[in-house]
Amino acid sequence: METILFGDSAADISSAAELIKKGEVVGIPTETVYGLGADALNEKAVRAVFAAKGRPADNPLIVHIADFSQAKNYTSYIPALAYKLAEKFCPGPLTMVLPKNETIPMVTSGGLDTVGIRVPSHRIMHNIIVESGCPIAAPSANISGLPSPTCAAHVMDDMSGRIAAVLDGGASEFGVESTVISFDSEDTVRILRPGAVTREMLLEICNEVIIDPSILKELAEGEKAASPGMKYIHYSPKADVKMVEGDFLNFREYISVVNSTSVYSLIYDDDKDNFPYNCMTYGNTSSEQAHQLFQCLRELDEIGAETVYVRAPLKDGVGLAVYNRLIRAAGFEVIRV
């Protein structure tokens, strides 16, 4: 099919909403990354999302709604803590995994009896939900396994000819997907996928916040993924990504041994002046690294990098989200120097 590239005008948003109502798939900007949106209640449309991405059917989709008050339409139980979290973080980059009701098709939930619910803050995604009248199932708008898209050009690169349209809403604000949590008890949540809503932020509301082991290691064989981004190698460019933990001097010494014309490094901004090898920088702070990571990984493919050594980020705050994306891009292998 021919993929239409829309702008962000009211007319373009209305046209895209009409496509959603007709069961089509549309690339939509959000504050996290661009999403591949379809009517979450339309099984045929949801299957088209999986087909466009080449996504395994047991990888659940997040359902986006306009206001958290709508969550009761798609769930069978909402704990009191969820409402407290919604007051603080909705709309925004937080997804809550809740027991689903029969309204949500099993194809949307990846065969699970739970569903991830999120209220996006991006104007365009919000308006698409309102104008289409549909809850929007929307994984990241990339070919499954590749770096997530943070601008419309990335979506067109991956999805042109596969989906009906893409809305251009500029660059994503956060650059990594939403934080996904589940509820272990009435006052405890578990982070299944880290994002811009950090453990430290959640602790302002919750008595306890557990970091799920799957964030830093591969799921066991046969274990079900309760959240997107848990089960498979994700976020990886065509280049071979290798994550390296260690201070800058040890990192530089390691690269001096493996250096070649096809080897590139992804390093902190402050490292560049003292780094004589092929490189690209992805920020100094965790927030900067989250915002730039996927853009850099795509650019490294464009310039022909065959192997990319990444200087690992910190693991606190938003840095945990960046580390999680990189360890999955690297196939869970970490080099420590």
Side-chain angles (χ1 to χ4, degrees):
M1 67 179 71
E2 181 179 354
T3 300
I4 303 166
L5 179 60
F6 288 123
D8 63 353
S9 69
D12 286 341
I13 292 170
S14 293
S15 295
E18 284 298 318
L19 289 171
I20 294 283
K21 285 197 284 187
K22 293 177 181 177
E24 299 287 355
V25 180
V26 176
I28 310 171
T30 81
E31 71 275 23
T32 56
V33 298
Y34 274 66
L36 205 58
D39 178 358
L41 309 184
N42 182 330
E43 292 191 30
K44 183 177 179 181
V46 171
R47 292 186 192 282
V49 170
F50 281 97
K53 280 182 65 71
R55 182 184 179 97
D58 62 347
N59 202 357
L61 304 183
I62 291 169
V63 174
H64 298 72
I65 56 178
D67 187 270
F68 193 73
S69 63
Q70 298 171 351
K72 64 182 182 297
N73 299 331
Y74 312 110
T75 58
S76 59
Y77 173 70
I78 302 175
L81 182 57
Y83 287 105
K84 292 179 181 178
L85 290 167
E87 288 179 12
K88 176 76 172 179
F89 299 112
C90 295
L94 179 68
T95 296
M96 294 185 251
V97 176
L98 300 165
K100 79 177 191 71
N101 63 25
E102 66 282 355
T103 306
I104 298 293
M106 293 301 283
V107 64
T108 302
S109 66
L112 302 175
D113 57 6
T114 56
V115 62
I117 297 289
R118 184 165 99 79
V119 183
S121 62
H122 197 286
R123 172 184 64 89
I124 293 177
M125 178 58 117
H126 175 82
N127 288 347
I128 287 286
I129 298 167
V130 172
E131 292 198 32
S132 69
C134 303
I136 303 294
S140 55
N142 56 295
I143 298 295
S144 190
L146 293 183
S148 299
T150 56
C151 66
H154 296 164
V155 185
M156 290 297 289
D157 286 345
D158 284 12
M159 292 293 155
S160 183
R162 292 170 175 258
I163 62 175
V166 176
L167 282 155
D168 188 346
S172 301
E173 177 183 356
F174 294 111
V176 291
E177 298 82 355
S178 63
T179 302
V180 180
I181 62 170
S182 61
F183 295 85
D184 276 25
S185 70
E186 291 299 320
D187 59 5
T188 300
V189 300
R190 177 180 297 268
I191 297 179
L192 303 175
R193 182 180 72 185
V197 175
T198 65
R199 179 178 184 271
E200 294 79 4
M201 294 162 69
L202 291 167
L203 280 170
E204 295 176 12
I205 308 295
C206 309
N207 285 347
E208 186 177 1
V209 177
I210 298 168
I211 303 294
D212 194 87
S214 65
I215 286 173
L216 299 177
K217 68 184 183 76
E218 198 168 4
L219 285 180
E221 186 175 351
E223 189 175 355
K224 288 188 176 182
S227 161
M230 289 181 71
K231 188 169 185 180
Y232 300 96
I233 293 176
H234 284 278
Y235 320 116
S236 185
K238 297 170 186 174
D240 183 17
V241 174
K242 299 182 182 297
M243 187 160 64
V244 183
E245 284 188 349
D247 64 27
F248 172 65
L249 292 179
N250 285 323
F251 179 89
R252 186 177 65 184
E253 182 179 353
Y254 181 83
I255 298 302
S256 71
V257 176
V258 299
N259 183 54
S260 75
T261 56
S262 63
V263 168
Y264 281 75
S265 296
L266 190 57
I267 57 178
Y268 298 5
D269 287 3
D270 286 347
D271 297 340
K272 188 173 183 180
D273 289 344
N274 297 303
F275 196 78
Y277 310 108
N278 294 331
C279 68
M280 186 176 292
T281 65
Y282 75 128
N284 281 320
T285 69
S286 295
S287 293
E288 290 170 348
Q289 291 167 349
H291 184 72
Q292 298 179 46
L293 175 63
F294 291 140
Q295 173 75 31
C296 288
L297 291 178
R298 285 178 176 264
E299 288 181 3
L300 285 162
D301 270 346
E302 291 173 6
I303 63 179
E306 294 180 6
T307 305
V308 178
Y309 291 88
V310 185
R311 187 173 171 218
L314 301 175
K315 295 181 192 175
D316 57 353
V318 181
L320 182 63
V322 184
Y323 193 98
N324 168 259
R325 288 1 178 232
L326 282 169
I327 200 171
R328 291 184 176 279
F332 302 95
E333 294 183 12
V334 181
I335 299 167
R336 293 179 173 86
V337 297

